[in-house]
Each structure stands twice: as structure tokens, then as C-alpha cells.
Amino acid sequence: MNILHPLLNPILALFLAPLLPGIINRTKAIVAGRTGQPLLQLYYDLFRLFQKSAVYSLTVSPIFKAGPLVGLACIVMGLTLVPMGGIPSLFGFAGDLVVLAYLMGLARFFTVAAALDTGSAFEGMGASREVQFSVLAEPALLLGLAAISQVGLIRPLTALPTAIPLESLSEMLARLSMSVWMADGTVLLLTSAALFIVMLAENCRIPVDDPTTHLELTMIHEVMVLDHSGPDFGMILYAAALKLWIFLALLAGLLIPVRTGNFWMDGASILIGMVVIAIGIGVIESINGRLRLIRVPQLLAGALVLSVMALVMVLWG
Amino acid sequence: MKLWTETLIVLLILTNLKLISSSRLSACIRIVAVQGILLGVVPLLAGQNPLTWRIASLAGLTMILKGMVFPWLLLKAMRSANVRREMEPFVGYSASLIVAAGLLGFSIWMGRQLPMPFAVASPLITPMAVFTIMIGLFAVISRRKAVTQVLGYLVMENGIYAFGLSFAQQEPFLIELGTLLDVFMAVFVMGITIFHINREFNHIDADRLNALRG
């Protein structure tokens, strides 16, 4: 494998990530029978926002200004840990899945802190919801990834459970070939379902949050960033697109067992998979309504249970 | 083959989870019907030997009784009692799901403590059966409406039946038929009882019945 290959994911992500929300929106528009916004709308938005200057309220502290910056930095760092199927990540190391999960946690913490910093009641409400849902989404994500780490391992019978070495995300995903899918397909399907729900929650997609609404009573993520403007808001939008890319890359790597070793084949299959999942999100958003807020924890608890089930099955099944 | 059996078992576990997290009674009844039909498929897959008449008729009877007759009886009872939703269960739906996750881990641990004297189709059959029994029990103790409690009882019986399925080759046919008949009678009687309770007291909240004095 070429030394430049691991650069593929970060570079592609930095350039192509804003395309993903465009694909989702286009799918929704087509299903609804509208023409919809251009595929490249987010690029135009970002371009426009980065040319503006930010407006700050007199009451905010520097934390408010740091929020979008730290958020974007965390997500870009996370990007270097995410492999694309068989193609390893830029900086893979043992146990990097925990770092990935908590980089996203740190980004969330700063978004929430910046939202609370404004002193707005609405933003505080959004922050509270975001944190409440992440309490359930985070263990689901970690346990799901833990389940994947155990799939397809050839364990020596004599080894103690503690003797299994920690692996990086790249090694975990590189192992998921077609034969592993045939043998452990149920576990992988359960994990994919759990990660898909977590993805919907983390990226504020429809059954959990409505990314298009601006009605404060119903929204979660949008309400937290109401006071950011100009380049700050651009950074938030860009970070959101990159986060969506991270989740889609993980999901596509999980669902598409193409591990030929050929760089172009593997990379292309994962990219196609990501586009297909994005279209799938668009279809889901078109045919579902947003859940009532009290039902959302139930959905996330369902994801958690699926992860637990996958982990238990792969460990003891 | 292993993949199919495992998928079936996972689907059975998922029906349990759906049952415990759904508030609409008709959805609960439907999910128990799906569970009955899935249970009917299990002996077809679990039998390593070629398909015999005995296994086929067992599977067919299970599907008809658990997948169609019981749900139909319960839907009728539900309509006549005029209840649509399980209001205010003792344990909320999200909490129920978390409890179910714990129960699942416990069942798998317990399934590993019960080694089978002969080869079974999948090591997951016993845990699935234990889990189904426990979910049934949990539904009985954590829900208010009599219909949901009957559903819990049915699911518990499904679990016991699934446990028996791993012995389907060894077990006499008569026993299977006997249990099916018993459950049929029980559901029948409970359906009538629900109707009568509802007619007397205008509700079927089982927890309020202990306030009755003779």
C-alpha cells in the first residue's frame, strides 16, 4: 500500500464533505417533487459566510468565540483517525476509537458551552437536549465499535480475554471481508443499525432533530448556533458536514465488504456506498416525521440495546 | 444455515424489544403475532435431519395458533374492551429498553451455564428462550392493562416453547400439542375475562382490582 493512500480520506473529506448535505437535500426535494436547492448549495453558503465578518454580543466571553474553532479542530482531528474501508486512516493507533468518540464529545462540549455562554434561554434548552441525547448515543457508539473490534478475530483458544490486543479502527475495518460477513453477518447488521441511529442523532437528522426547522420549541442543534454569525457559523456548518462524512465513512466501511487490496476499487466502492447511504438518509427524512421529544431517548435506548446485543453475541455467542 | 438461524433468533429478540417499547396495544398484539410466526419457522431450521411430517405439522400448527388465532382473539378482546394504548406503565418505555438490555446480557450468561446434552442448531437458542421468558415476565409485572399482561403471558409461553424447540427432535409430539392446547384455552378464557372485567368496572387496569372488597 502506497504511503500516500491514507491521505485519501482526510483530503477527500475536506473537499467533498459539503456535497453530502447537498445529496441529502436533493433526494428530499426529488421525493417531494420539488426541484430543490443546487447540489453545491453548502459550498456557496460557506463561501458567502467566510467573506462576512462575525458579530458578537457584548455579553459573551471568549468561550463563545472559541466554540466553533474548537469544534472544527476536533472534527478535523477525528477525520485523520477514520479509515475508508480497507484503506487505513492517517494516524491509526491502538484504541483510537475511544479518541474518535471523545473528540466528537469535546466538540459537542464546546458547542454546548458556547450556547450557554450567550445566556439565551432558547440556546440553553437546545444545549440541555443535545447533552441529554448524547448520554445515550455515546455508549451506543462506543459499544457498537467495540462489537466490530471483536468480529472476525481469530482467537487462539488458550488466550485469556485480556490477552486480545487493542487495535486501531483501520485494522478493525480492514478485516471485514465478504467471508466475515457470511460468518458474522447478524452481528454486523445489528451494529450497522445501531451506528445508523447514532449517526442520525449525532448529525441532527430527522427522526431526532429537524435540520430545516427554525422553530425553537422543536430544534436541538440549530437552536444552539443561533447567535453565531459569519465565519463562525461557516465553521459550524463545515464541521457538521465533516462529522456527517466521518459517520458515513464508518458506516460504508462497515456495510460494504469490498476488500480487494486494490486502492482504486476499495476507495471507489466506499465512496459509492457513502453516496448511497446519504440518499438513504434523504429517503428516511422524506417518509418520516420528527419524533416527539420524549420518544427520542427511546430510539437512542433502542440503538444502545442493539449495540449491547451485538457485543454480547460476538463475545459469548 | 447458521446465518439464517442466527438471523431468525435475532429477529425473535428484536420482537421482544419492540413489544417492551411500544405503547399501542394493537402494535403489541401484531408484534406477538410476528413472533409466533417466526417461532413456527424455528423448528424447520433447527432440525438437522430432513424435514419430517411431525416437524412440519408442529411448525404449521404453531404458526396458525400463535400467529393468527391468538392475535385475532386478543384483538377482539381489545376492541370489545375499547382500549387502544397502554397508559402509564409502571416502568417507562425507555427504562424498559434499558432493563431489557440488562436482561439480555443476563440471559446469555445464563444460557452459557446450561450446557445442552446434545448438539443444538445454534448456541443462541437457549439464551433467546430465556430472554423471551424474562421479557414476558417483565411485561406481566410492569404493565397495567390486562391485555398487555395476557400478551406477557403469551410471550412467556413462547419462550418456554422456544426452549422446547431445541429438543423438538427428542420430545414427544403429544406434549407439544398439549401445551398448545393449554395456551389456547388460557388465551380464550383470558379474552373472555377481560371482556367481563371491562363490562363490570369500565376499565381493565389490573392494579386497581386489588381495591375490590367482597
Side-chain angles (χ1 to χ4, degrees):
Chain A
M1 188 136 307
N2 194 310
I3 197 163
L4 289 176
H5 288 174
L7 277 171
L8 174 80
N9 190 23
I11 290 178
L12 275 186
L14 290 178
F15 282 105
L16 293 184
L19 197 57
L20 291 173
I23 294 175
I24 296 177
N25 282 332
R26 207 10 114 69
T27 316
K28 283 167 76 173
I30 290 174
V31 174
R34 290 181 281 118
T35 315
Q37 45 179 256
L39 268 180
L40 302 179
Q41 183 63 46
L42 188 53
Y43 289 99
Y44 305 144
D45 286 349
L46 289 176
F47 187 68
R48 178 172 52 86
L49 286 168
F50 279 116
Q51 282 181 329
K52 291 183 173 182
S53 58
V55 179
Y56 295 111
S57 147
L58 292 176
T59 57
V60 296
S61 67
I63 289 187
F64 180 78
K65 295 172 189 170
L69 260 177
V70 177
L72 183 61
C74 287
I75 300 294
V76 172
M77 275 162 75
L79 209 55
T80 60
L81 301 176
V82 176
M84 286 187 75
I87 302 165
S89 58
L90 192 53
F91 301 123
F93 50 88
D96 54 0
L97 63 96
V98 182
V99 178
L100 176 65
Y102 285 99
L103 275 173
M104 288 194 270
L106 186 63
R108 180 184 303 116
F109 174 77
F110 267 88
T111 315
V112 167
L116 290 175
D117 194 42
T118 61
S120 148
F122 277 145
E123 298 201 18
M125 199 171 66
S128 143
R129 289 173 182 169
E130 170 97 0
V131 172
Q132 183 201 356
F133 296 156
S134 73
V135 164
L136 286 165
E138 206 168 83
L141 173 71
L142 278 175
L143 290 176
L145 291 177
I148 302 172
S149 76
Q150 299 295 313
V151 170
L153 271 184
I154 302 140
R155 261 178 248 142
L157 284 173
T158 49
L160 293 168
T162 50
I164 299 167
L166 263 176
E167 288 181 304
S168 68
L169 272 171
S170 315
E171 287 166 308
M172 280 159 47
L173 286 180
R175 214 169 33 219
L176 301 178
S177 61
M178 204 63 200
S179 54
V180 173
W181 257 94
M182 293 310 281
D184 276 321
T186 36
V187 173
L188 289 174
L189 269 182
L190 284 176
T191 330
S192 314
L195 287 189
F196 192 80
I197 298 177
V198 171
M199 183 271 288
L200 290 178
E202 290 271 346
N203 294 293
C204 39
R205 308 311 310 187
I206 245 179
V208 177
D209 185 8
D210 192 344
T212 54
T213 181
H214 272 279
L215 180 66
E216 291 88 345
L217 287 177
T218 58
M219 51 195 197
I220 302 163
H221 191 79
E222 288 293 317
V223 80
M224 287 198 301
V225 298
L226 271 180
D227 277 301
H228 291 280
S229 57
D232 283 352
F233 190 54
M235 277 192 267
I236 289 171
L237 288 183
Y238 190 44
L242 290 176
K243 194 172 176 187
L244 184 62
W245 178 284
I246 289 181
F247 272 95
L248 289 194
L250 280 179
L251 268 173
L254 187 60
L255 284 170
I256 298 189
V258 179
R259 303 286 185 270
T260 52
N262 180 330
F263 172 70
W264 299 107
M265 284 261 286
D266 285 10
S269 60
I270 298 294
L271 280 181
I272 294 172
M274 287 168 68
V275 171
V276 171
I277 299 175
I279 294 176
I281 297 174
V283 172
I284 286 181
E285 297 213 339
S286 308
I287 57 178
N288 280 307
R290 209 180 53 80
L291 286 174
R292 277 187 299 150
L293 270 177
I294 47 167
R295 301 282 283 186
V296 172
Q298 200 184 331
L299 179 77
L300 291 173
L304 178 59
V305 172
L306 291 180
S307 285
V308 169
M309 209 159 121
L311 185 62
V312 163
M313 269 179 73
V314 74
L315 281 182
W316 291 342
Chain B
M1 200 55 159
K2 181 191 168 234
L3 193 64
W4 286 114
T5 327
E6 266 193 11
T7 312
L8 197 62
I9 291 173
V10 167
L11 281 178
L12 278 167
I13 295 179
L14 288 182
T15 53
N16 286 332
L17 295 175
K18 173 78 183 143
L19 172 79
I20 214 73
S21 65
S22 166
S23 75
R24 226 176 273 270
L25 284 180
S26 56
C28 286
I29 294 177
R30 234 164 262 138
I31 206 72
V32 172
V34 171
Q35 188 174 57
I37 292 190
L38 288 174
L39 265 184
V41 184
V42 171
L44 300 179
L45 283 178
Q48 290 91 341
N49 301 349
L51 196 59
T52 56
W53 273 111
R54 212 167 68 86
I55 300 286
S57 55
L58 184 62
L61 264 179
T62 314
M63 284 194 217
I64 291 174
L65 269 183
K66 289 181 191 274
M68 294 167 205
V69 177
F70 295 167
W72 177 71
L73 279 173
L74 284 171
L75 274 177
K76 230 178 69 171
M78 192 193 87
R79 295 223 176 88
S80 63
N82 205 16
V83 280
R84 291 277 174 272
R85 280 170 178 280
E86 169 76 43
M87 298 291 182
E88 299 166 5
F90 293 116
V91 183
Y93 300 108
S94 305
S96 298
L97 266 178
I98 307 258
V99 169
L103 285 180
L104 183 66
F106 177 72
S107 325
I108 294 201
W109 174 79
M110 211 171 129
R112 285 164 65 82
Q113 312 295 312
L114 300 169
M116 282 290 156
F118 47 84
V120 286
S122 159
L124 283 169
I125 277 204
T126 325
M128 183 270 288
V130 176
F131 180 62
T132 313
I133 295 172
M134 289 196 166
I135 285 293
L137 199 59
F138 184 70
V140 169
I141 59 174
S142 69
R143 299 291 185 257
R144 247 175 240 271
K145 298 277 184 243
V147 175
T148 331
Q149 296 184 348
V150 175
L151 280 177
Y153 167 78
L154 255 183
V155 167
M156 217 155 76
E157 204 282 327
N158 279 350
I160 297 168
Y161 178 80
F163 198 62
L165 279 182
S166 29
F167 314 92
Q169 304 283 345
Q170 277 81 4
E171 199 178 31
F173 192 42
L174 198 62
I175 295 185
E176 290 295 341
L177 284 187
T179 32
L180 276 178
L181 188 69
D182 283 352
V183 179
F184 178 69
M185 284 313 293
V187 173
F188 200 66
V189 169
M190 281 190 269
I192 296 170
T193 317
I194 289 175
F195 176 66
H196 280 285
I197 294 177
N198 185 60
R199 206 177 52 183
E200 286 302 316
F201 304 112
N202 288 324
H203 63 79
I204 52 169
D205 289 5
D207 65 310
R208 275 156 67 188
L209 291 183
N210 55 12
L212 295 179
R213 293 285 181 269

